[in-house]
Amino acid sequence: MNCQKSGAISCSREQLMSFLYGMQRIRLVEERIGELVASREVRTPCHLSIGQEAIPVGVCAALNEDDTVWGGHRSHGHYLAKGGDLNAMMAEIFGKATGCARGRGGSMHLVAPAQGIFGTVPLVAATIPLAVGAALSGKLRGTHQVAVAFFGDGATDEGHFHESLNLAALYRLPVLFVCENNLYSTHLTLKERRVKDNIVESAALHGLAGVTVDGNDVTAVYQAAQQAVHRARIGEGPTLLECRTYRWRGHVGPAADLEVGADRRRELDEWQRHDPIAQCRALLSTRGVSSDSVDSVAAKVREEIEAAVRFARQSPDPDESELLQHVYAARRGC
Amino acid sequence: MRILTYAQAIREAHAQLLAEDPRVFLIGQGVRNPWYAGTSLQDLDKEFGRDRVIDSPVSENATTGAAIGAAITGMRPILFHPRMDFMLLAADPIMNQAANWSYLFAGQVAVPVVIRAVINRGGEQGAQHSQAVQALFAHVPGLKVVMPATAYDAKGLLIAAVRDGNPVLYIDDRWLYELEEDVPEGLYEVPIGSAAIRRSGRDVTVVATSYMAAEAVKAVATLAQRGIDVELIDLRSIKPWDRNLVYSSVGKTGRLVVADAAWMSGGVAAEIAASVAGEIFHALKAPIARVCLPDAPAPTSAVLEQAYYVGAEDIVASVEKVLL
Ligand SMILES: Cc1ncc(C[n+]2csc(CCOP(=O)(O)OP(=O)(O)O)c2C)c(N)n1
Ligand SMILES: [Mg+2]
């Protein structure tokens, strides 16, 4: 695999601290969600991205506030990294009226328009063309906004992916296709779904830039995203960014799915040694940051999470009378 | 005979069809994973090999098109879509291709494919993992659509579908998977287009599809205790559907409730109601009632799900309404 190199050298200490904070936050939030699922307090299907945190954090650090991100079934990390409110996400997962989708969506349908998150939805590959449309919209409106489509390796099995790449390349649209290649689509390994491990080559075929990075190295992800975003903004068109990673938990819920795939146990051990958070901590210690100050970050995040869980628990359920609301958008004034 | 669950009956039909006919093969997402298929396809890959039991990439459009191409050229594929929602990515091969080819080419080309779609809803999964869009497919000439509600029919309709020679949409509902009954051990067919009378009665006809047919059984028991004598018809096939049986029943009772756990507007219940009103209007003693889902996507929150889904109680209420 020809991976783009780490961007650690060019990252400041503050930047690294902020990456670490972002990744820790996603991890701890999802570990907590995993517990809530295990205890059955949360019933909506939750797909955890533990082990993959460097990708949303690295990519979103390269974005402006008004850039948009689009996601799928495994999008807690995308939502949080782009600035979605934690309380609103937790309440959504609890099915509460204070949730970001007022309890209509659960974990698989997150939204925060003010933060550029117009919707994450679980139909695989569904939002890839929508991101292309957001880029087209930005281009037509002359805003220089960039759109990011986050999707998995499984989504590249769908025609949506290939058609979208071609369209975006053809019209040189400011879109970043971020493939979080965790080597699995539910129970099927990449090998069971394609002859070659060459997702990134789709880029060259369709005439756009294609880059593979170590998706567990937040600095590499950040640097590659920054370059791609820059090209998009100055009108040089789209990039496919393949981020190699691995999900530590099962397809859905907190368990590890060890029965899936012949090599799952070995792979998991290997990838856990390649933990994005531990690597970032190690990097910070070479920059003279003490582990105490890193630990204090985690402690603060834990407090924030418990507050979000309290908020969700104490929030009201949606009212039955809301059932038929918003099937259609409210009519706008002329 | 012995007792099988609905899911086991589906599995047995697959196994016997695979054993009986070398042209039969199974393709789709998750055919060897219980997360997708429950026990309804359990270990078929081990029994028949992965050449004939193909767990596919996430490529609904291509796998459906490929199944159709294989059907046209002599195979009898069973395509598996673990959720009806996912099948919508294959709307083109199903609605534009499979449905049209026999007519388009004056009967020279047939498309003997079975496209199985699972309705798998509830559990706070929300709008894109809950849909029951049978009406969309029943709308299209050239497609047959069946919806078994019992273990016996689940097996017999799958066998009939594979042997039918046309594109047949076979729609099963995860909420039925644990239902049990006696199921014959051999291969047998439940004719496509024939409904079943689950209970004879004089006061009201209830026509129900799929999951609602199971709910209607409960509703009918409650109503019987209240002295109301319901004739319950499990529709089983929604395209073609058993007009004769429905008309003769409504001719007798003069009252009709149609229950279909899908959206009301433009749905299967609307088609039945319109046909009854159009053909045997004179027999009706009361307006026709429909028990369907409200015209909204499925919400996730348990409170809203509770308000959204319909069941036995709603059938009871509608029967009492048409008797007022
Ligand atoms: C159109 C569609 N087909 C199938 C599914 C079922 N499904 C849900 S997630 C998933 C796996 C997707 O894998 P990948 O894109 O690699 O994402 P990951 O789960 O690995 O993050 C599948 C097949 C779906 N949600 N939508
Ligand atoms: Mg994957």
Side-chain angles (χ1 to χ4, degrees):
Chain A
M1 192 59 42
N2 189 9
C3 276
Q4 192 156 308
K5 289 287 169 291
S6 163
I9 300 159
S10 56
C11 285
S12 70
R13 213 162 81 164
E14 288 63 40
Q15 245 168 348
L16 290 174
M17 277 301 280
S18 121
F19 291 158
L20 182 74
Y21 167 76
M23 293 193 293
Q24 284 267 20
R25 187 159 173 265
I26 295 170
R27 165 117 9 134
L28 293 171
V29 166
E30 289 205 314
E31 283 177 346
R32 189 73 181 94
I33 292 169
E35 291 168 11
L36 292 162
V37 170
S39 70
R40 298 182 156 266
E41 188 172 356
V42 161
R43 295 162 308 260
T44 192
C46 292
H47 302 76
L48 306 179
S49 65
I50 293 171
Q52 307 183 182
E53 300 90 344
I55 303 163
V57 169
V59 170
C60 290
L63 298 178
N64 293 341
E65 210 169 320
D66 67 346
D67 291 332
T68 61
V69 304
W70 305 78
H73 56 289
R74 197 179 305 285
S75 276
H76 300 149
H78 309 139
Y79 172 95
L80 291 173
K82 190 60 174 54
D85 179 61
L86 175 60
N87 281 355
M89 183 176 95
M90 198 60 87
E92 188 56 42
I93 290 171
F94 275 74
K96 296 300 183 76
T98 52
C100 60
R102 291 197 64 81
R104 288 142 186 271
S107 159
M108 302 196 292
H109 312 80
L110 301 173
V111 67
Q115 280 72 43
I117 306 159
F118 287 91
T120 67
V121 293
L123 282 189
V124 167
T127 57
I128 303 176
L130 305 192
V132 172
L136 177 62
S137 158
K139 184 176 166 181
L140 293 174
R141 290 181 293 115
T143 62
H144 302 285
Q145 282 163 287
V146 169
V148 177
F150 285 108
F151 54 90
D153 48 303
T156 70
D157 298 353
E158 298 278 16
H160 288 53
F161 167 72
H162 301 276
E163 296 178 29
S164 297
L165 255 55
N166 184 55
L167 214 58
L170 183 64
Y171 303 129
R172 292 173 82 85
L173 299 178
V175 55
L176 186 50
F177 298 100
V178 180
C179 178
E180 302 178 306
N181 183 357
N182 61 14
L183 312 174
Y184 280 84
S185 168
T186 64
H187 60 300
L188 293 186
T189 63
L190 197 66
K191 269 195 218 116
E192 291 170 295
R193 290 176 292 119
R194 52 193 293 140
V195 174
K196 289 186 176 176
D197 182 356
N198 64 347
I199 287 171
V200 74
E201 288 176 28
S202 293
L205 290 176
H206 289 294
L208 62 151
V211 181
T212 297
V213 291
D214 175 352
N216 283 16
D217 176 347
V218 67
T219 64
V221 174
Y222 171 64
Q223 195 169 60
Q226 220 185 12
Q227 288 162 359
V229 166
H230 175 71
R231 280 197 301 274
R233 251 194 251 294
I234 62 172
E236 288 185 6
T239 302
L240 170 62
L241 183 60
E242 183 204 8
C243 304
R244 310 281 299 187
T245 187
Y246 200 77
R247 68 167 153 69
W248 291 9
R249 301 298 177 97
H251 169 63
V252 59
D257 275 8
L258 286 176
E259 72 288 358
V260 151
D263 294 331
R264 174 90 178 139
R265 177 78 260 174
R266 185 189 55 72
E267 288 170 354
L268 191 57
D269 290 344
E270 207 168 283
W271 281 91
Q272 285 185 335
R273 281 196 296 276
H274 192 45
D275 176 6
I277 292 178
Q279 290 184 86
C280 189
R281 286 183 71 135
L283 199 57
L284 275 164
S285 83
T286 67
R287 301 282 180 90
V289 177
S290 71
S291 59
D292 281 357
S293 58
V294 168
D295 289 340
S296 74
V297 172
K300 270 230 295 285
V301 170
R302 282 205 177 84
E303 277 169 34
E304 188 198 358
I305 294 168
E306 284 322 303
V309 172
R310 269 197 306 281
F311 172 78
R313 281 182 178 146
Q314 287 163 8
S315 290
D317 286 321
D319 193 83
E320 260 188 54
S321 65
E322 293 181 34
L323 185 64
L324 297 180
Q325 278 174 19
H326 306 299
V327 175
Y328 297 97
R331 212 185 146 92
R332 298 254 180 89
C334 330
Chain B
M1 293 216 264
R2 71 268 109 98
I3 305 277
L4 292 187
T5 65
Y6 183 95
Q8 288 167 337
I10 294 176
R11 192 214 176 268
E12 185 166 278
H14 278 90
Q16 293 178 350
L17 287 160
L18 283 158
E20 175 197 57
D21 186 344
R23 298 172 302 171
V24 173
F25 72 97
L26 173 63
I27 181 168
Q29 246 170 77
V31 298
R32 54 185 168 85
N33 188 311
W35 182 72
Y36 285 102
T39 53
S40 75
L41 300 173
Q42 198 171 347
D43 294 333
L44 287 173
D45 61 314
K46 295 191 183 108
E47 204 171 325
F48 296 96
R50 291 191 180 178
D51 284 344
R52 291 181 74 204
V53 178
I54 305 168
D55 202 337
S56 76
V58 204
S59 308
E60 292 83 3
N61 194 9
T63 51
T64 308
I68 291 167
I72 288 171
T73 52
M75 299 298 282
R76 295 273 165 144
I78 305 173
L79 185 79
F80 176 66
H81 289 295
R83 277 196 174 81
M84 222 180 189
D85 318 66
F86 307 164
M87 183 173 74
L88 294 177
L89 275 75
D92 168 66
I94 300 172
M95 294 168 81
N96 286 326
Q97 311 314 331
N100 285 344
W101 279 48
S102 172
Y103 184 85
L104 192 60
F105 300 119
Q108 299 171 87
V109 182
V111 190
V113 67
V114 173
I115 300 169
R116 175 176 168 210
V118 183
I119 298 171
N120 185 354
R121 56 189 156 193
E124 303 196 19
Q125 300 177 95
Q128 301 185 346
H129 281 65
S130 306
Q131 295 176 79
V133 289
Q134 54 267 29
L136 205 61
F137 297 93
H139 185 59
V140 182
L143 296 179
K144 296 186 178 182
V145 184
V146 301
M147 298 186 82
T150 64
Y152 180 92
D153 288 349
K155 181 173 172 185
L157 277 170
L158 187 70
I159 294 163
V162 166
R163 292 175 177 172
D164 186 83
N166 282 287
V168 180
L169 228 72
Y170 177 99
I171 302 170
D172 52 299
D173 190 315
R174 284 290 281 259
W175 283 356
L176 294 168
Y177 275 27
E178 300 308 321
L179 283 187
E180 294 181 329
E181 68 179 336
D182 272 344
V183 174
E185 289 180 22
L187 284 147
Y188 62 92
E189 293 183 30
V190 168
I192 294 175
S194 83
I197 296 189
R198 300 291 180 212
R199 182 184 190 277
S200 306
R202 287 169 291 113
D203 297 337
V204 185
T205 300
V206 172
V207 174
T209 65
S210 185
Y211 174 67
M212 289 308 270
E215 286 296 291
V217 171
K218 298 180 213 161
V220 162
T222 306
L223 287 160
Q225 283 167 8
R226 297 181 193 171
I228 299 169
D229 189 21
V230 173
E231 178 140 303
L232 173 57
I233 297 179
D234 173 355
L235 201 59
R236 303 199 292 196
S237 288
I238 64 166
K239 179 79 167 280
W241 60 278
D242 198 339
R243 288 166 193 275
N244 293 338
L245 194 70
V246 172
Y247 293 169
S248 72
S249 176
V250 178
K252 183 172 70 176
T253 63
R255 292 185 163 85
L256 175 62
V257 172
V258 192
D260 178 47
W263 294 309
M264 184 175 282
S265 294
V268 171
E271 176 61 24
I272 293 167
S275 301
V276 167
E279 298 295 327
I280 53 164
F281 184 72
H282 55 274
L284 288 170
K285 298 178 198 155
I288 298 166
R290 286 180 283 166
V291 181
C292 299
L293 298 182
D295 282 330
T300 49
S301 170
V303 177
L304 295 178
E305 276 190 335
Q306 187 67 33
Y308 183 74
Y309 286 113
V310 286
E313 286 168 30
D314 303 276
I315 298 172
V316 169
S318 285
V319 167
E320 290 184 329
K321 196 180 80 185
V322 301
L323 278 167
L324 277 184

